[in-house]
Amino acid sequence: MKFQTSLCLFFCCFWFCVDGTQLILVNNCRESIWPGILGSSGHSSVGGGGFHLNFGEEVVLNVPDRWSGRIWGRQGCSFNRIGEGTCNTGDCAGLLQCKGASGMPPATVVEMTLGTSNSPLHYYDVSLVDGFNLPVSMVPVGGGAGCGVAGCELDLNLCCPSALEVKRGGKVVGCKSACLAMKSAKYCCTGDYANPKDCKPTLFAHLFKAICPRAYSFAYDDSSSLHKCRAPRYVITFCPPS
């Protein structure tokens, strides 16, 4: 009985006593990916800022309370023994471990703030504001009301308008955002358009939203895309089942 009690306490502690929050990164793509991680200002880039993940592999990251940052997948990468190289999409300054560098658009980005000084709630979303390269989802494990799924589970590259395509070796590997393609205040929600009244979804944003309704399609797409939750762990899956 004493052994069974100790075993139970061990497993309970494993699942519920970890400080902060667990992020479980899973590669369901049929190729290698290289997750990139960037902490927001004042926050560390966990997981060394980036690493390699084979098809079928997963990595568990323990992040502290109130951690804030972004995670994205890189594809078609090649690095030398000291971690220098390039990626077809999502490249972060040519480094395996991004070391404070953001991913080069287009890239599908998972954004999160896991509690603040004013609220214990976790805020998270999947954003196409920087364009699209890989399907990805963020799913809470446990938690209560508001703990919905954020994601873009379908491959937008298959229906990307030709003006937004990014190709490598004749293959579409990314789909630019309208902002990246047009480089204007209207499409980037900057300048006179840096407010929800004047920044409206474009034709391209409507297309992204129709295919991926649970992802941010433009800068002020809060109402249907931002999730508020409090869960002990989240599963972030690259190329999730659609």
Side-chain angles (χ1 to χ4, degrees), residues 121-173:
L121 289 176
H122 297 166
Y123 298 83
Y124 59 96
D125 66 82
V126 167
S127 174
L128 304 176
V129 174
D130 287 339
F132 172 94
N133 67 331
L134 292 169
V136 65
S137 66
M138 181 168 176
V139 180
V141 179
C147 291
V149 176
C152 182
E153 292 96 337
L154 298 178
D155 189 353
L156 277 173
N157 292 332
L158 298 177
C159 54
C160 181
S162 58
L164 306 182
E165 290 178 345
V166 174
K167 292 184 176 181
R168 297 287 186 273
K171 177 185 176 183
V172 178
V173 296

Side-chain angles (χ1 to χ4, degrees), residues 179-199:
C179 171
L180 183 62
M182 309 303 177
K183 294 182 173 62
S184 71
K186 177 181 178 180
Y187 290 100
C188 296
C189 296
T190 56
D192 292 339
Y193 294 88
N195 63 80
K197 178 177 178 293
D198 295 308
C199 177

Side-chain angles (χ1 to χ4, degrees), residues 5-64:
T5 301
S6 298
L7 191 63
C8 181
L9 288 173
F10 169 79
F11 281 108
C12 285
C13 189
F14 176 80
W15 287 109
F16 297 107
C17 299
V18 174
D19 290 334
T21 306
Q22 282 189 339
L23 301 178
I24 305 166
L25 276 59
V26 180
N27 180 11
N28 194 50
C29 304
R30 295 196 172 275
E31 60 181 355
S32 289
I33 61 164
W34 289 258
I37 304 172
L38 175 64
S40 302
S41 178
H43 297 270
S44 62
S45 295
V46 296
F51 49 88
H52 175 236
L53 202 58
N54 277 316
F55 167 55
E57 287 187 338
E58 64 179 57
V59 167
V60 178
L61 303 175
N62 293 311
V63 299

Side-chain angles (χ1 to χ4, degrees), residues 204-215:
F204 301 113
H206 282 301
L207 173 64
F208 285 2
K209 197 67 176 179
I211 300 171
C212 292
R214 296 192 288 200

Side-chain angles (χ1 to χ4, degrees), residues 196-232:
K197 178 177 178 293
D198 295 308
C199 177
K200 302 298 182 183
T202 65
L203 177 63
F204 301 113
H206 282 301
L207 173 64
F208 285 2
K209 197 67 176 179
I211 300 171
C212 292
R214 296 192 288 200
Y216 263 83
S217 60
F218 74 109
Y220 293 100
D221 194 12
D222 289 356
S223 61
S224 61
S225 307
L226 181 64
H227 294 270
K228 302 175 184 179
C229 179
R230 177 68 182 182

